[in-house]
C-alpha cells in the first residue's frame, strides 16, 4: 500500500519586516552663491526598523542636521535616495514629526495652538484639535499651559510643547535634532525619561541627534557614530543595556569608552 501524498512543506522563508527608514548611498553637497562647494555627507547608508530608537552621534559639522533635514524632506540629497515606509521622500510630510534644537514654536500662537497647528492644517475641527492638543500637553507633563504663549514658558517647557506638536499628526517617525542641548542637566534628564516613556507607550520610531555620548547611551537601542569631512557612518553600535540605565554601571562605562573611541579625539560629552 502506498503512503498518502504528503502536503507540500511550506517554503522556509525568514520573515524580516521591511525597515521603516532606508537611506541608500546618500550624499549632499552645499553650493554657495560664489560657487564654493562643501560636501556635507558622502556615501551614507542606513536601514532603521520600525519602533527603533536610534541616536546619531558625531562632532560638529559632520552632517547630522543635513541628514535629518533630508529625511524630513527640507533638503534634497545631491545623490542617493531616502525611503520612508518604502516611499521616496519628496518633501515634508505629517508622517514625519520634527523637533529642532532651538525652540521653534510659533511665538504668535499659544502652546495649545502650536500643538494643534498640524491637525488644523490637516482640516481637523476646532473642538477635536483642542481636545487632542490638551491630551498631548498632558502626555508631556504640561496640563496647564494650553493658553500660554511661548514667551511665557521656560526652555524645558517649550521643548515639551515642541515634542507634543511633533506628535500631533501621529507621525511614524520622530526626527529630533539635539532637542535637549540647551537645557540644564536636571531638565534634560527629566525630558529624556519622558521621551523614553512616550517611545514605549506610542511605539514611535525615533531618530535623535546628539553630541552627547551619555545621552546617546541613555536613550538609544542603537547608536550611529558619524565622522566628518565629509560626513560618513563611522560605527554602528547596539546598546543592549537594560533600562533604566545607570551611568555608573559597568556596561554603561564600557559603551561610553567604545563610543568615545569611535568618535576619536573629537568626542564630546
Ligand atoms: N546651508 C548651508 N550652506 C553651506 N554649507 C552648509 C550649510 N549647512 C551646513 N553646511 C555645511 O555642511 C556641513 C555639515 O553641517 P551640518 O549642520 O549638517 O552638521 P552637524 O553635524 O549638524 O553640526 P552641529 O553638530 O554643529 O549641529 C558643515 O561643513 C557645514 O558648514
Ligand atoms: Mg546640527
Amino acid at each position: 500500500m502506498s503512503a498518502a501524498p504528503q502536503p507540500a512543506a511550506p517554503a522556509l522563508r525568514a520573515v524580516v519586516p521591511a525597515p521603516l527608514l532606508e537611506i541608500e548611498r546618500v550624499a549632499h553637497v552645499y553650493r554657495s552663491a560664489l560657487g564654493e562647494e562643501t560636501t556635507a555627507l558622502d556615501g551614507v547608508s542606513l536601514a532603521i526598523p520600525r519602533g527603533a530608537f536610534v541616536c546619531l552621534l558625531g562632532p560638529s559639522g559632520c552632517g547630522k542636521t543635513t541628514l535629518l533635514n533630508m529625511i524630513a524632506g527640507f533638503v534634497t540629497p545631491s545623490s542617493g535616495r531616502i525611503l520612508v515606509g518604502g516611499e521616496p521622500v519628496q518633501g515634508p510630510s505629517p508622517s514625519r514629526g520634527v523637533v529642532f534644537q532651538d525652540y521653534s514654536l510659533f511665538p504668535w500662537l499659544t502652546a495649545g495652538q502650536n500643538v494643534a497647528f498640524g491637525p488644523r492644517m490637516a482640516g481637523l475641527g476646532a473642538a477635536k484639535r483642542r481636545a487632542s492638543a490638551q491630551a498631548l500637553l498632558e502626555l508631556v507633563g504640561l496640563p496647564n499651559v494650553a493658553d500660554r504663549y511661548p514667551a511665557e514658558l521656560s526652555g524645558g517647557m517649550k521643548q515639551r510643547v515642541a515634542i507634543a506638536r511633533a506628535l500631533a499628526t501621529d507621525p511614524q517617525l520622530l526626527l529630533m535634532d539635539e532637542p535637549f542641548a540647551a537645557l540644564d542637566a536636571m531638565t534634560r534628564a527629566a525630558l529624556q525619561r519622558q521621551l523614553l516613556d512616550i517611545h514605549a507607550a506610542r511605539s514611535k520610531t525615533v531618530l535623535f541627534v546628539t553630541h552627547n555620548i551619555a545621552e546617546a547611551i541613555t536613550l538609544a537601542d542603537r547608536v550611529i557614530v558619524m565622522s566628518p569631512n565629509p560626513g560618513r557612518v563611522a560605527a554602528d553600535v547596539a546598546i543592549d543595556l537594560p533600562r533604566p540605565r545607570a551611568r555608573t554601571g559597568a556596561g554603561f562605562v564600557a559603551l561610553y569608552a567604545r563610543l568615545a573611541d569611535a568618535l576619536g579625539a573629537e568626542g564630546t560629552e
Side-chain angles (χ1 to χ4, degrees):
M1 202 172 84
S2 62
Q6 296 294 307
L12 279 178
R13 212 158 19 101
V15 183
V16 182
L20 176 65
L21 172 63
E22 294 162 274
I23 299 172
E24 297 176 350
R25 297 177 306 280
V26 160
H28 189 69
V29 180
Y30 288 104
R31 285 188 182 83
S32 75
L34 298 173
E36 226 175 77
E37 294 192 345
T38 306
T39 304
L41 288 166
D42 196 18
V44 172
S45 295
L46 285 174
I48 294 181
R50 230 169 260 280
F53 196 129
V54 175
C55 280
L56 272 183
L57 180 69
S60 187
C62 73
K64 304 179 297 297
T65 295
T66 303
L67 185 57
L68 224 68
N69 281 338
M70 289 194 288
I71 300 165
F74 302 140
V75 170
T76 306
S78 304
S79 63
R81 51 179 209 157
I82 299 179
L83 307 175
V84 176
E87 299 290 326
V89 169
Q90 281 168 337
S93 154
S95 72
R96 280 166 267 132
V98 186
V99 181
F100 301 96
Q101 174 177 353
D102 48 357
Y103 316 119
S104 52
L105 301 176
F106 303 121
W108 61 90
L109 298 180
T110 64
Q113 289 165 340
N114 264 282
V115 177
F117 184 80
R120 185 173 137 210
M121 291 294 110
L124 193 70
K128 278 193 177 157
R129 60 178 196 256
R130 252 198 308 276
S132 91
Q134 179 58 28
L136 284 166
L137 287 170
E138 285 170 20
L139 179 75
V140 297
L142 296 174
N144 301 315
V145 306
D147 296 327
R148 289 214 229 160
Y149 285 89
E152 300 169 311
L153 303 174
S154 71
M157 290 162 101
K158 280 187 251 196
Q159 280 312 63
R160 286 186 159 103
V161 175
I163 293 170
R165 186 176 64 176
L167 290 170
T169 52
D170 198 21
Q172 322 177 55
L173 185 57
L174 203 50
L175 301 167
M176 308 183 82
D177 193 358
E178 307 204 45
F180 307 150
L183 305 177
D184 65 87
M186 268 175 64
T187 309
R188 177 187 272 228
L191 262 72
Q192 287 171 348
R193 280 194 298 275
Q194 206 155 38
L195 179 61
L196 285 172
D197 289 346
I198 290 169
H199 175 250
R202 303 229 154 181
S203 55
K204 297 289 176 207
T205 308
V206 182
L207 188 57
F208 184 107
V209 168
T210 181
H211 276 100
N212 187 301
I213 300 175
E215 180 164 71
I217 303 173
T218 302
L219 293 173
D221 313 318
R222 182 175 158 199
V223 177
I224 311 289
V225 180
M226 292 181 64
S227 60
N229 304 315
R232 295 180 195 275
V233 174
D236 188 340
V237 178
I239 309 292
D240 52 5
L241 301 177
R243 296 178 191 279
R245 295 171 174 167
R247 290 181 180 215
T248 46
F252 199 109
V253 172
L255 276 164
Y256 193 102
R258 186 167 164 202
L259 291 172
D261 190 47
L263 276 171
E266 295 178 271
T268 51
E269 158 53 351

